[in-house]
Amino acid sequence: MTAKRLRVFALLAISMVFLLAWTFPIIWSVMNSLKTDPDVLAYPPKLVFAPTLDAYRDVLFGSGSILPNLLSSAIISVGTTIVTMLMAVPAAYALARLRFRGKKFAGFYVLATQMLPPVGIIIPYFLVLRNIGWIDTYQGIILIYLSFSLPFAIWLLVSYFEDIPFEMEEAAYLDGASRLKTLWRIIIPQVRGGIAVTVVFVFLNAWNEFLFAVVLSGNTVRPVTVAMFNFVSVEQTLWAKLAAVSVLAMLPVVVLGVVAQKHIVKGLTVGAVKGGGRR
């Protein structure tokens, strides 16, 4: 066997180890969600068992159904994504394409807000929302999620706007197009991939967020990430149901990733094939 083949086999073996390490928690959760609680707690762990959907039936249609929690997560995530993108696209365009006083400071401020530890700002957020009566409301949680999703989206989109050649924009001005029309007809179609990538990441961050949700939510608005703890108590942990909820919480993320896969790949590679748009 040649040295080249040995290197290929070594790389494949290392890749398989990393792939197994990454997928093992998911596979283990799916297996446990199809077991009964005695089978989950069996030692040594049972790899061969009679699969059952009892855990899924209980968490979806039982007395403690998580369907309202899934709906809350969907409303919060979609609402956060829509509001974030409506504000982030023009803000990122302005930072990338316009010249104005304080531009560097604005860019630094957007980046600096990402460095704040969430645990350090959660108490001021809680006090503000409590004073205006927005604790345990959709608008309150979406407003707080904007504080970290909006800077992230702006920071991500700026690089895509910067990669568009200025000549393309100037040609549109020569043809009589306004700045708004140029943004809508010329610029945004060029950064569709970047916008798709940003939408996916903003949605995922909102869907998976836990720290703010557990403090700012209540009995009315309770995302699924918080509702999972209904199956954990001092007396016992309902592992099969907890695994079933975990799998159900992962499904929207997996579906979104598969649907947006083409745009994600295009968005991640667009920066490598463009360039020269910065001034």
Side-chain angles (χ1 to χ4, degrees):
M1 184 176 291
T2 63
K4 184 178 180 180
R5 285 190 173 182
L6 281 175
R7 286 197 296 270
V8 171
F9 280 119
L11 288 174
L12 285 175
I14 293 173
S15 301
M16 291 301 295
V17 169
F18 278 107
L19 181 62
L20 183 62
W22 181 74
T23 56
F24 177 76
I26 301 174
I27 296 173
W28 195 252
S29 294
V30 173
M31 290 177 62
N32 284 338
S33 70
L34 298 174
K35 293 180 179 178
T36 60
D37 278 328
D39 285 343
V40 174
L41 297 175
Y43 186 83
K46 284 188 175 180
L47 298 180
V48 179
F49 57 90
T52 175
L53 296 177
D54 288 348
Y56 287 97
R57 186 185 65 243
D58 292 341
V59 299
L60 285 175
F61 308 111
S63 57
S65 172
I66 63 161
L67 288 176
N69 309 112
L70 289 171
L71 179 62
S72 293
S73 289
I75 293 174
I76 293 171
S77 302
V78 172
T80 301
T81 304
I82 292 174
V83 178
T84 297
M85 297 310 297
L86 288 176
M87 300 173 69
V89 170
Y93 172 78
L95 283 175
R97 315 293 290 187
L98 305 183
R99 295 178 179 176
F100 56 90
R101 183 177 296 179
K103 178 179 176 178
K104 289 185 177 179
F105 175 78
F108 172 77
Y109 178 77
V110 169
L111 187 60
T113 55
Q114 293 292 294
M115 302 175 186
L116 294 174
V119 71
I121 57 178
I122 193 168
I123 293 178
Y125 281 160
F126 174 81
L127 295 176
V128 169
L129 292 186
R130 188 186 64 178
N131 289 336
I132 62 177
W134 279 11
I135 291 290
D136 195 20
T137 62
Y138 288 116
Q139 65 269 26
I141 296 178
I142 290 174
L143 177 65
I144 299 306
Y145 280 13
L146 280 176
S147 65
F148 59 84
S149 64
L150 184 58
F152 171 77
I154 294 174
W155 176 74
L156 196 59
L157 285 171
V158 163
S159 60
Y160 291 101
F161 280 113
E162 286 180 338
D163 285 332
I164 300 174
F166 275 92
E167 290 77 9
M168 187 181 296
E169 195 172 358
E170 291 169 351
Y173 294 148
L174 291 176
D175 290 337
S178 64
R179 184 174 293 278
L180 186 61
K181 190 175 182 180
T182 303
L183 172 64
W184 183 252
R185 296 274 183 90
I186 306 297
I187 303 300
I188 287 183
Q190 297 297 318
V191 295
R192 280 182 301 184
I195 291 176
V197 171
T198 308
V199 166
V200 171
F201 280 114
V202 170
F203 181 88
L204 294 183
N205 287 338
W207 183 272
N208 295 324
E209 205 285 326
F210 172 76
L211 180 61
F212 289 111
V214 75
V215 174
L216 304 176
S217 64
N219 293 327
T220 304
V221 179
R222 185 184 293 270
V224 69
T225 51
V226 180
M228 287 182 180
F229 281 84
N230 293 339
F231 304 98
V232 179
S233 66
V234 178
E235 292 81 12
Q236 63 175 344
T237 299
L238 304 174
W239 290 109
K241 293 180 181 179
L242 185 60
V245 176
S246 302
V247 173
L248 291 172
M250 283 190 288
L251 283 180
V253 177
V254 173
V255 171
L256 178 63
V258 172
V259 171
Q261 182 181 15
K262 178 181 177 182
H263 296 290
I264 292 174
V265 173
K266 186 183 295 183
L268 291 176
T269 57
V270 68
V273 298
K274 290 184 177 179
R278 296 178 176 82
R279 279 184 175 177

